[in-house]
């Protein structure tokens, strides 16, 4: 019998997505006993198979990156809410035309934050350009959370100079897709935050944290804790935007209260310059130009 509407790749992905939503909304999924186990989506979404799903989510991005020779990354974190300078200027122009004082204030803040977007883009461009001078097995690639804002800016900087870059996106209730500057084939989507976090640190040679919110703080303190407790090898942790970070986190208070030691302040560096951020990483690893 001829199939009038053969399944496409999109159909299959959408079908799995619908089953996923049902499973996590409390629907009882009945597996088909005659299907092969790995081809039975209802079975694969059961609570009992969560461990298998987690293994697959760990394995898939790892294989894809190894096949492209990607072993080292610089992970860039930061707010998803910042926009590029052009978009911020347009928002301010429209706000001023509206005469709405609150809207104008928000737009002016966007213009200020757009400077961070531009700096993240510059930083990634520097890293990508300089890394091309290294042997292929020693190259360091830009990796982000794959979303908008600072993440987009960093992916965009590498994209500007035609260098591969990675995005580790996360499935959220308010659907988030990978930004358009991530290299095709290196835009990964995760369900489990824990597995996404593992992929951030598995290849990370450095972490650069731009101003951000809860997600940025979560990732930053996780890396600091891993390094502090020697669960992860020491890597440069750079807080970009010294005024923001010093105002946000009073590390001296933690020392005064005895919750951290003064030597823990050596786990990170402040900077306000994209070139200096990369120079700190190069110094740590003694990276120089090849003759």
């Amino acid at each position: 019998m001829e199939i009038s509407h053969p399944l496409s790749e999109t159909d299959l992905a959408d079908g799995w997505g619908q089953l996923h939503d049902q499973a996590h909304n409390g629907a009882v999924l009945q597996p088909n006993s005659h299907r092969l186990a790995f081809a039975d989506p209802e079975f694969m979404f059961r609570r009992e198979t969560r461990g298998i799903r987690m293994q697959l989510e760990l394995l898939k991005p790892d294989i894809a990156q190894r096949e492209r020779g990607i072993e080292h990354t610089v992970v860039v974190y930061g707010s998803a809410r910042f926009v590029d300078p052009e978009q911020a200027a347009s928002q301010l122009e429209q706000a001023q035309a509206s005469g709405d004082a609150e809207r104008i204030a928000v737009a002016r803040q966007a213009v200020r934050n757009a400077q961070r977007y531009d700096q993240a883009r510059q930083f990634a461009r520097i890293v990508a350009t300089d890394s091309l001078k290294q042997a292929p097995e020693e190259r360091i690639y830009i990796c982000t959370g794959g979303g908008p804002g600072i993440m987009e800016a960093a992916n965009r900087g590498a994209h500007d100079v035609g260098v591969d870059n990675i995005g580790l996106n996360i499935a959220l209730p308010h659907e988030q897709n990978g930004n358009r500057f991530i290299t095709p084939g290196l835009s990964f989507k995760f369900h489990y935050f824990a597995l996404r976090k593992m992929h951030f640190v598995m290849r990370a040679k450095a972490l650069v944290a731009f101003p951000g919110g809860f997600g940025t703080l979560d990732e930053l303190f996780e890396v600091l804790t891993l390094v502090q407790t020697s669960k992860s090898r020491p890597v440069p942790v750079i807080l970009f935007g010294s005024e923001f970070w010093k105002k946000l986190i009073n590390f001296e208070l933690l020392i005064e209260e005895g919750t951290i030691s003064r030597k823990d302040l050596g786990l990170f560096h402040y900077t306000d310059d994209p070139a200096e951020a990369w120079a700190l990483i190069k110094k740590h690893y003694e990276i120089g130009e090849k003759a």
Side-chain angles (χ1 to χ4, degrees), residues 78-272:
S79 176
R81 303 186 181 193
F82 297 169
V83 298
D84 65 50
E86 293 76 15
Q87 187 175 345
S90 176
Q91 290 178 3
L92 179 58
E93 183 179 353
Q94 294 174 27
Q96 290 173 332
S98 74
D100 186 323
E102 183 176 350
R103 185 176 172 188
I104 292 172
V106 171
R108 284 177 175 162
Q109 183 183 58
V111 170
R112 292 193 298 271
N113 289 336
Q115 297 176 29
R116 301 299 190 198
Y117 181 106
D118 200 40
Q119 290 168 328
R121 184 178 177 183
Q122 291 177 41
F123 170 74
R125 191 184 299 127
I126 292 169
V127 174
T129 300
D130 210 13
S131 289
L132 285 177
K133 301 173 185 176
Q134 311 305 317
E137 66 275 10
E138 296 176 1
R139 288 176 184 166
I140 299 178
Y141 297 84
I142 291 293
C143 176
T144 79
I150 291 296
M151 297 173 281
E152 175 187 291
N155 291 125
R156 186 174 183 177
H159 179 272
D160 286 341
V161 293
V163 175
D164 283 354
N165 62 88
I166 304 111
L168 307 180
N169 215 276
I170 187 77
L172 299 173
H174 50 283
E175 188 63 25
Q176 176 177 299
N177 295 311
N179 67 69
R180 67 187 188 280
F181 299 107
I182 304 169
T183 300
L186 293 174
S187 182
F188 304 103
K189 192 169 187 177
F190 290 81
H191 171 71
Y192 299 104
F193 268 106
L195 273 299
R196 181 177 181 243
K197 288 172 181 288
M198 285 191 67
H199 273 285
F200 277 134
V201 301
M202 280 170 60
R203 287 174 165 79
K205 301 285 280 187
L207 161 67
V208 181
F210 282 77
F214 292 156
T216 301
L217 294 173
D218 174 45
E219 301 292 356
L220 169 63
F221 280 105
E222 185 155 48
V223 171
L224 287 175
T225 302
L226 288 171
V227 175
Q228 182 199 47
T229 57
S230 299
K231 292 293 287 184
S232 177
R233 67 186 185 280
V235 298
V237 177
I238 299 169
L239 304 183
F240 198 103
S242 55
E243 183 180 359
F244 171 88
W245 289 108
K246 289 177 181 179
K247 185 177 180 180
L248 177 67
I249 306 170
N250 189 345
F251 288 105
E252 289 294 333
L253 175 63
L254 297 180
I255 294 172
E256 290 173 13
E257 294 295 330
T259 58
I260 66 172
S261 64
R262 184 159 295 278
K263 70 176 183 178
D264 289 331
L265 297 185
L267 296 174
F268 57 87
H269 308 270
Y270 296 105
T271 189
D272 297 288

Side-chain angles (χ1 to χ4, degrees), residues 49-62:
T49 57
R50 179 179 294 157
I52 298 170
R53 297 196 303 274
M54 295 179 77
Q55 290 178 36
L56 293 173
E57 199 157 279
L58 179 66
L59 188 61
K60 180 180 177 181
D62 186 41

